Amino acid sequence: MNQLNPRRLILPIAVVIGLAAAMIYLTGGWNGTAGWNASPTGTPPPTPANGSPASAAIETKLVAWRQLIDANFAGDQACASCHEKEFQAHQRSGHSHTAIRMSASQLAARLTDGPPYQDTHREQTFRFEQRGDALMVFDDAHPQTPSLPVSWLLGSGTHAQTPIWVDEASQRGLEFRWSYLAHRDGLGLTPDHERFERFDPATIECYGRPLDAAGVRACLACHTTMNPPPELPIRDDLYIANVGCERCHGPRKKHVQMAEQGLAEQAQPLVQFNDATSYMAVCSQCHRDARSVSPDATANELARFQPYGLQRSRCYTESPGNMTCSTCHDPHDAVSTSRPQHIRNCQQCHQPNTSHDCPQKPTGDCIQCHMPAVEWTAGIAFHDHWIRTPTADE
């Protein structure tokens, strides 16, 4: 799940490139039937008419985009024959299922078969119905408000999954107020939506936080392998869903074709992991470092951004080029929850009975003392990865 608080975060460089320069936060208005009232007159944003020069130009770019994807991207399955171990590990990871079409999700079936959801901060009840291939959400407190379909379910589900609606006609969307929270195995308030208790019941705000086009693109950017440039529309068929092999290793179709001829080494990856810095740069695109985190963010907000915390650690700063995310985590697999394994990772450098030994508890729980879990919100906690002594560095 990629919840962005515009008051605290700066979008990562990878997301900013290609997005519109001005990000205008539009709440918009609901016109009572099927569209947005984004302008004072209630006129939806203009779209190129079929047959117009603008429409023809977009169609040309759409064809070029699809050709680019087809010519350069092989897909995860193509990696399996030579990299079976890594492929199977990736299938277990959260990256492999972090952007799911809501209609294909297990949560959709649970919601249609279960009771309505009572909002914990508003006097609202949301009801769910499956209509055709879409999960529809109804606001029973405001029956005059049209229902909304859920487009995507974003997040691996390890901590949470948040649904969004994308309106391809207006190129805007909405982040729903309810999310799946793993620690309660049920619905709860979407993180950061505590600040949206006041809303206009005659607008789309009754369902959650409206998103302009840049906001929709930002949500999808970190949950997909490839997403279209800003001059193309936001459409499902233009995205490669989930964070697949080629998100981190670059497009690999040529590599696959060369491998079939026994010449795989002649098609090197576009993304090179030559050192810890280049490795951290790739992870930080979505997991964030100092380039994309506001300096006045609070400790609980920073807990979500592990590269930011790791790069502040003495373990990182005093071992330049030697420590990165993969020092402790298998980059292909699900994040290990084995505390003994993580302690062994610490002891790769901090061996007992050496000058690097912990003077307090040489055989204790390194993680609990030096990198404790920090609650972010809604009962969700993260290890912030800022490895430090319990008192001196805080």
Side-chain angles (χ1 to χ4, degrees), residues 49-248:
N50 290 335
S52 70
S55 176
I58 289 177
E59 285 301 321
T60 298
K61 291 179 179 179
L62 286 172
V63 171
W65 175 254
R66 293 191 182 99
Q67 290 175 341
L68 181 148
I69 296 298
D70 183 63
N72 292 280
F73 286 82
D76 292 346
Q77 190 63 50
C79 303
S81 58
C82 295
H83 306 282
E84 176 67 19
K85 179 181 177 182
E86 291 82 1
F87 173 79
Q88 293 298 337
H90 178 261
Q91 296 305 297
R92 296 189 293 267
S93 74
H95 287 148
S96 69
H97 52 273
T98 192
I100 305 171
R101 292 296 301 166
M102 186 66 183
S103 57
S105 71
Q106 296 179 351
L107 182 61
R110 286 184 59 178
L111 295 180
T112 54
D113 294 339
Y117 169 66
Q118 176 62 52
D119 194 301
T120 56
H121 284 62
R122 297 177 178 176
E123 293 183 0
Q124 286 182 279
T125 301
F126 297 111
R127 180 169 47 86
F128 309 97
E129 288 185 16
Q130 190 74 31
R131 293 191 175 180
D133 60 354
L135 178 74
M136 306 299 297
V137 185
F138 297 81
D139 178 9
D140 281 350
H142 306 95
Q144 75 283 2
T145 304
S147 60
L148 279 187
V150 182
S151 304
W152 292 92
L153 189 61
L154 301 182
S156 68
T158 302
H159 296 288
Q161 290 176 300
T162 293
I164 66 170
W165 168 62
V166 180
D167 181 26
E168 294 184 358
S170 69
Q171 294 292 283
R172 296 177 187 153
L174 177 127
E175 179 184 70
F176 285 94
R177 283 185 57 77
W178 47 273
S179 291
Y180 169 79
L181 303 179
H183 68 279
R184 65 173 61 174
D185 191 26
L187 298 187
L189 186 70
T190 296
D192 198 41
H193 277 240
E194 299 88 349
R195 61 193 179 97
F196 300 124
E197 292 188 20
R198 291 181 174 273
F199 69 103
D200 184 348
T203 72
I204 199 172
E205 292 176 351
C206 64
Y207 284 108
R209 178 168 71 97
L211 302 169
D212 63 3
V216 173
R217 291 180 187 273
C219 284
L220 292 173
C222 281
H223 291 268
T224 55
T225 295
M226 195 65 177
N227 45 85
E231 60 265 24
L232 292 182
I234 303 169
R235 283 176 26 181
D236 295 350
D237 61 326
L238 302 183
Y239 286 83
I240 300 178
N242 302 311
V243 177
C245 308
E246 291 166 295
R247 173 63 188 256
C248 298

